[in-house]
Amino acid sequence: MTQPSLPRPSIAIVGYGSQGRAHALNLRDSGFDVTVGLRPGGPTEAKAKADGFSVKSPAEAVKSADLVAVLTPDMVQKKLYDEVLAPNLKQGACLLFAHGLNVHFGMISPRDDLDVVLVAPKGPGALVRREYEIGRGVPCIYAIHQDRSGKAKDLALSYADGLGGARANLIETTFKEETETDLFGEQAVLCGGASSLVQAGFEVLVEAGYQPEIAYYEVLHELKLIVDLFYEGGITRMLEFVSETAQYGDYVSGPRVIDAATKERMREVLKDIQDGTFTKNWVAEYEAGLPNYKKYKQADLEHPIEVVGKQLRAKMVWLDNSPKEQKEAA
């Protein structure tokens, strides 16, 4: 629960997706006064009301709130801030983000009277909620962009504590560090890097004449086993649980695939993130109606590994193939 020495602001949560719902529920259970701001008639309004929250339009929800948490997708935040939040936030309120992209790259320029902070749990919303309910918490990182009241850090810590983050670990960062490392991790390793590595491995095996089903199991299906070991105890734990043959292959072949040239291309990705090239291109793509985004996504969905994978997963009765759960976990 929140420490008595920390402030206990009234909170408006704007957005009620996976993270928004978890934040709202955890904060309410921690004793905060929480209102949810949603577009009337939108898809999540009924869900928030069923959870027992007072639901208002975003403009109405933020008018009396001491702290406003913006938990909507990145690409709608600028319009939301300019047209709804900035005209209605009360003087001296605190504006909170869970990702710093819009502020760090100047798409949102917060009013000068506001405290502006970031609190980001390091886990999907379902995990943030589940860990809180069993008396634990998910680590959170936090940052301060503007401290007009002199209490911005306390407000960020109070919010993180209300999520359950103080039960686990709280790490201070900056908007710059959170934004740039988050984007790099997604692009070079977690999403772009991992999916491209899996697709390339599948293609190499199939082109060499191996069965697609066998290739799928070896380069995608079994990846979960390794990632789970990474998650539980890092590379050390992975090495404890794989065979000596696998370890030796790791040592001699890993650096042949991920070599100095790969690392240099990673630096190029990071440079594009740091100098704003990626964000500029992403904003332009979004404003153009996502033509390339849609093309790239369709290519991934039609890749042969997805075709064979769908057939194989249909026989894996232990899997929960609910699209909602998959999206939440992501």
Side-chain angles (χ1 to χ4, degrees):
M1 299 296 289
T2 304
Q3 302 171 23
S5 59
L6 293 174
R8 300 179 67 81
S10 60
I11 297 173
I13 301 288
V14 182
Y16 206 70
S18 173
Q19 285 289 341
R21 182 172 188 264
H23 287 217
L25 290 168
N26 288 11
L27 290 162
R28 183 178 65 185
D29 289 351
S30 292
F32 288 85
D33 176 14
V34 178
T35 300
V36 177
L38 296 172
R39 177 170 53 86
T44 53
E45 182 185 30
K47 189 173 186 179
K49 287 183 175 179
D51 286 335
F53 286 104
S54 170
V55 180
K56 302 178 181 179
S57 70
E60 288 300 315
V62 306
K63 284 182 177 178
S64 61
D66 300 318
L67 184 151
V68 173
V70 182
L71 300 175
T72 58
D74 290 330
M75 289 299 101
V76 305
Q77 288 183 10
K78 174 177 170 53
K79 182 179 176 68
L80 174 69
Y81 177 78
D82 290 344
E83 297 182 5
V84 179
L85 303 184
N88 289 291
L89 278 159
K90 73 178 186 180
Q91 191 78 10
C94 180
L95 185 61
L96 181 145
F97 296 87
H99 179 43
L101 185 143
N102 278 276
V103 172
H104 175 55
F105 287 111
M107 292 178 287
I108 290 177
S109 298
R111 278 180 5 207
D112 191 59
D113 62 287
L114 302 173
D115 287 339
V116 182
V117 304
L118 178 149
V119 175
K122 303 313 293 177
L127 181 67
V128 172
R129 181 58 180 162
R130 185 164 63 247
E131 286 296 292
Y132 181 94
E133 288 181 303
I134 62 176
R136 299 187 305 211
V138 170
C140 291
I141 60 176
Y142 69 96
I144 314 303
H145 178 72
Q146 281 183 187
D147 184 9
R148 296 296 181 255
S149 69
K151 299 178 181 178
K153 183 174 181 178
D154 285 345
L155 287 166
L157 290 174
S158 179
Y159 188 97
D161 191 20
L163 295 182
R167 302 171 179 174
N169 192 20
L170 300 178
I171 301 175
E172 187 167 10
T173 182
T174 64
F175 271 62
K176 171 183 169 62
E177 183 175 62
E178 184 278 334
T179 301
E180 294 175 0
T181 57
D182 185 82
L183 293 175
F184 177 81
E186 291 170 350
Q187 294 173 34
V189 181
L190 305 178
C191 301
S195 58
S196 293
L197 185 66
V198 165
Q199 288 173 339
F202 177 86
E203 291 165 5
V204 166
L205 288 176
V206 173
E207 288 164 7
Y210 300 103
Q211 295 180 68
E213 293 82 3
I214 301 299
Y216 175 89
Y217 279 124
E218 296 302 333
V219 303
L220 190 153
H221 179 80
E222 293 192 19
L223 183 61
K224 181 186 186 314
L225 308 177
I226 302 303
V227 170
D228 284 350
L229 292 171
F230 282 161
Y231 185 80
E232 294 165 7
I235 294 173
T236 299
R237 184 165 178 83
M238 182 272 288
L239 294 174
E240 290 175 359
F241 283 86
V242 300
S243 69
E244 291 176 335
T245 302
Q247 290 182 48
Y248 182 68
D250 173 337
Y251 304 144
V252 300
S253 297
R256 295 174 65 190
V257 177
I258 308 299
D259 59 9
T262 308
K263 193 172 179 181
E264 185 56 37
R265 290 191 294 274
M266 284 183 165
R267 290 193 180 100
E268 292 171 4
V269 169
L270 180 58
K271 181 177 180 297
D272 281 351
I273 291 168
Q274 291 172 325
D275 66 17
T277 298
F278 168 78
T279 298
K280 179 182 177 182
N281 291 343
W282 174 218
V283 171
E285 174 72 15
Y286 185 84
E287 292 178 346
L290 303 172
N292 293 303
Y293 170 95
K294 293 173 183 176
K295 179 179 67 175
Y296 299 145
K297 184 172 185 178
Q298 193 61 35
D300 269 357
L301 295 175
E302 294 175 355
H303 191 280
I305 199 171
E306 291 304 299
V307 177
V308 69
K310 185 176 181 180
Q311 296 168 353
L312 294 174
R313 289 190 298 272
K315 300 176 182 179
M316 300 178 195
V317 295
W318 62 89
L319 292 180
D320 176 6
N321 285 319
S322 161
K324 174 187 170 187
E325 289 299 321
Q326 289 178 5
K327 186 175 181 181
E328 220 173 45

